[in-house]
Amino acid sequence: MKDLTRYFYNLLVSKGISENTAEYLNLLIGICILVVVLFVLDFVMKKVIVAIFKSYASKSKNTFDDYLVKNKTFDYLAHIVPLSLTVWIVPMLFIAFPTAEKYLEILFNIMVIVLTIWILRSILRTFRDFLKSLDSFRDKPIDSYVQVFMIFVWFIGAILVFSSMTGKSIWTFLTALGAMSAVILLIFKDTILGFVASIQVAVNDTVRIGDWITMQKYGADGDVIEINLSSVKVQNFDKTITTIPTYYLTSQSFKNWRGMMNSGGRRIKRALLIKTSSISFLSEDDLNKLKKIELIESYLTRIQQDIDSYNQESKIDKSVLMNGRNLTNMGVFRMYVELYLENHPFINKEMTIMSRQLPPSAQGTPLEIYAFSNNKVWKNYEQIMADIFDHLLSAIPYFNLEVFELNYTSEK
């Protein structure tokens, strides 16, 4: 090969051209031929060999090779042969130009390092995409680990590039970096915190991709779509994207709705404000009217028998309604609410169903409904809850109760 690279030099000298001119002409012709050969070789490698790999990947049942094609791994590998040929031939081509040869050698070393990094990056991205396609890894912060590996790869690549450019040993740079460790830690503080947080999030299973989280401090309320080394991306329900530093997931409080999504229902917890002055004991006539409501007919019959038996045995003077045991419209309505919820088709009967009275306030006496809908989809959940409260608000007047409302009067 050395004789081949000197072929035109010997030919030109034999034709009577000066050695100096022959050197330059030999170099120029050699570079032109090399460029053409490299172009043809690179074209063949890409169009033939890469095409073979792509064809194999498309027919293979394994998806890993598909991701290799997607991330252009074979395209980068195709550059190895042309680059190797260049590294081999150029020193012999520039044998008469030692200074240029020295700089070209440095340049080619850098190109080899960069190409190696590109290949490693494409392979890491392939592993990332492949793992994300598996159910067991789909909700894990794979991006964070890939980014950490890439930081190390670029870091080592940068050291090798500087070592090649300066001609100094790699250990010289590592020693200098050791002395600058405090500065490096300061520069990469967020990266280090993010990496540690990613590990904690994965090990403790705090957050997964696809989880619905709420972090009011940063306006995040939606699904986690990405967890990487520096940030967590949350797609809010209005389709905006909120970015939160990864280490905030371990250092600050947030709400993860995964427990609700994995449970048998979504909680309904809302109160009706009953006007306190409308709460009263029920008379015999009131009870007879309420017994026409099928849902509480049997309850009223049974409880009234118990109350009458107690009052008779205790010889209670019922000429005053408040004496002895009595039913109130609020109590009966509270029981009606529980029976209504227990018979509702969209309420989970295996979870807590409760109607409870909260402490009275200036806005009336709250009657809180506590139950769980068996449909957890947001839109369906809201419709179920609205239907329940539409019914209960419409039922309140049948119990001679009133809903509290603020009335503003203006003086004329």
Side-chain angles (χ1 to χ4, degrees), residues 326-354:
N326 298 278
L327 288 171
T328 64
N329 55 353
M330 183 69 157
V332 174
F333 178 65
R334 189 173 67 250
M335 180 55 63
Y336 172 81
V337 171
E338 287 197 10
L339 291 173
Y340 175 75
L341 294 175
E342 288 173 357
N343 287 274
H344 198 284
F346 296 111
I347 294 297
N348 191 321
K349 311 305 186 297
E350 297 180 356
M351 302 182 76
T352 304
I353 298 176
M354 179 172 58

Side-chain angles (χ1 to χ4, degrees), residues 31-204:
I31 291 175
C32 293
I33 295 174
L34 180 62
V35 169
V36 172
V37 171
L38 291 176
F39 178 80
V40 173
L41 185 60
D42 190 67
F43 178 81
V44 171
M45 293 294 295
K46 280 189 174 182
K47 297 299 180 180
V48 179
I49 298 178
V50 175
I52 292 173
F53 281 112
K54 288 183 178 180
S55 176
Y56 171 78
S58 63
K59 296 177 181 178
S60 173
K61 294 182 179 180
N62 186 11
T63 59
F64 185 80
D65 45 19
D66 295 325
Y67 291 116
L68 286 173
V69 172
K70 175 186 174 183
N71 290 288
K72 299 182 178 181
T73 305
F74 299 121
D75 295 72
Y76 295 137
L77 290 172
H79 293 305
I80 293 178
V81 174
L83 183 58
S84 300
L85 181 62
T86 305
V87 172
W88 178 40
I89 293 178
V90 166
M92 292 183 285
L93 195 61
F94 281 80
I95 194 170
F97 304 91
T99 304
E101 180 188 352
K102 177 182 177 182
Y103 289 112
L104 286 173
E105 184 180 353
I106 295 173
L107 176 62
F108 291 142
N109 288 338
I110 294 173
M111 291 174 65
V112 170
I113 294 169
V114 172
L115 180 59
T116 304
I117 292 174
W118 283 351
I119 294 172
L120 290 174
R121 183 184 63 176
S122 66
I123 293 174
L124 285 173
R125 288 180 174 178
T126 299
F127 275 105
R128 178 198 63 188
D129 295 340
F130 176 72
L131 291 175
K132 281 186 174 182
S133 67
L134 303 177
D135 293 336
S136 54
F137 290 93
R138 188 170 296 166
D139 53 3
K140 299 296 186 293
I142 305 298
D143 290 302
S144 299
Y145 304 124
V146 171
Q147 288 176 344
V148 169
F149 281 120
M150 280 308 304
I151 287 175
F152 280 111
V153 169
W154 281 109
F155 179 73
I156 294 172
I159 293 177
L160 292 174
V161 168
F162 281 111
S163 176
S164 179
M165 291 174 63
T166 59
K168 294 184 179 180
S169 171
I170 296 175
W171 298 108
T172 304
F173 289 96
L174 293 177
T175 304
L177 289 173
M180 298 176 59
S181 57
V183 177
I184 293 173
L185 289 175
L186 182 62
I187 294 173
F188 292 100
K189 181 190 71 172
D190 291 340
T191 302
I192 296 170
L193 289 174
F195 176 58
V196 175
S198 297
I199 295 175
Q200 291 178 331
V201 165
V203 171
N204 298 325

Side-chain angles (χ1 to χ4, degrees), residues 12-24:
L12 292 170
V13 170
S14 66
K15 297 294 183 179
I17 298 176
S18 65
E19 294 183 359
N20 189 40
T21 303
E23 289 287 2
Y24 284 101

